[in-house]
Amino acid sequence: MASADTIMSAFTTLLVTLDPPGLAPIFLGLTAGLTRAQRRQVAWRGSLIAFFILAVFAVFGAGILSLLGISMGAFRISGGMLLFWIAFEMIFQKRNDRKEETSKTAITIDHIQNIAVFPLALPLIAGPGAISATVLLAGSFAQPLDRAVLILMLAMAMATVLIALMIADRLDRYLGVSGRAVLTRLLGVLLAALSAQFVVDGVKSAFAL
């Protein structure tokens, strides 16, 4: 059974990577013109789809890597570097700009009824960073009971995302521009430290082989 510190670190990694406060203003722009009931429907559907996507990677991600001949150590290094780049974007306020551009493009291409699938579930919620973090964490939660704990943490993290989307209008007003900027940068620093730890663990694993 994974230790309490490992579980807390994993849950923190999931929350920081998913970034519920950062998703809230983008979700508002994505669902502009929709009623509150329609927004809730989009939020529920998008969160559920994103959860199932990440759950599949949590269960089968390591098997897919093994099939492709990629070691967990190599994936930890590459995934840690990817998460560090996301942290860099968060600290220098580039991630939200990129997400907003993605959402604008998707609205012009896809019909409004499909926004829960694209771009909300994929790639705004279950993006490359979240998928990489999930597969990396699955390597530390290899036993069946530990894997169940990881799925539970995914569900809890996704519930946090859902709540943030449900109260997006109030959260955006409460944080304001300055509050969002401070929170995003603080989460970015935390994610940078966690991603560096992934790289260190990956290097140790690679040399152990």
Side-chain angles (χ1 to χ4, degrees):
M1 179 70 178
S3 66
D5 289 342
T6 302
I7 292 174
M8 184 58 65
S9 176
F11 186 65
T12 302
T13 301
L14 288 173
L15 274 184
V16 171
T17 308
L18 290 170
D19 188 20
L23 284 170
I26 297 169
F27 176 74
L28 283 177
L30 195 64
T31 57
L34 298 185
T35 65
R36 180 170 293 183
Q38 289 172 328
R39 275 182 175 167
R40 287 180 178 176
Q41 184 179 3
V42 171
W44 268 104
R45 188 180 180 197
S47 299
L48 277 174
I49 293 170
F51 168 74
F52 283 117
I53 290 171
L54 294 179
V56 167
F57 276 96
V59 176
F60 300 109
I64 294 172
L65 291 180
S66 178
L67 189 64
L68 295 174
I70 301 172
S71 70
M72 184 54 68
F75 192 83
R76 281 196 177 102
I77 295 171
S78 61
M81 293 171 67
L82 174 61
L83 292 179
F84 187 84
W85 176 252
I86 291 173
F88 177 85
E89 289 186 326
M90 291 172 71
I91 294 170
F92 292 97
Q93 203 65 23
K94 295 179 181 295
R95 193 184 186 203
N96 278 358
D97 295 340
R98 176 168 53 79
K99 282 188 172 183
E100 285 168 4
E101 287 300 317
T102 302
S103 65
K104 288 176 185 176
T105 303
I107 289 175
T108 60
I109 295 174
D110 285 2
H111 195 268
I112 192 72
Q113 65 185 11
N114 295 323
I115 61 175
V117 181
F118 180 85
L120 183 58
L122 192 71
L124 293 181
I125 300 178
I131 291 173
S132 297
T134 300
V135 176
L136 287 170
L137 292 173
S140 302
F141 291 79
Q143 300 302 317
L145 183 58
D146 291 338
R147 194 61 58 86
V149 171
L150 178 58
I151 298 296
L152 179 60
M153 284 191 294
L154 273 173
M156 292 172 61
M158 203 57 64
T160 306
V161 170
L162 177 60
I163 292 170
L165 297 184
M166 291 289 196
I167 61 171
D169 50 349
R170 281 170 285 179
L171 186 64
D172 194 47
R173 283 199 304 269
Y174 178 77
L175 288 176
V177 176
S178 298
R180 286 198 307 273
V182 170
L183 184 60
T184 299
R185 283 170 170 79
L186 188 62
L187 292 174
V189 172
L190 185 58
L191 182 60
L194 290 168
S195 63
Q197 187 62 52
F198 278 134
V199 173
V200 171
D201 292 343
V203 170
K204 287 180 179 178
S205 177
F207 276 102
L209 296 175

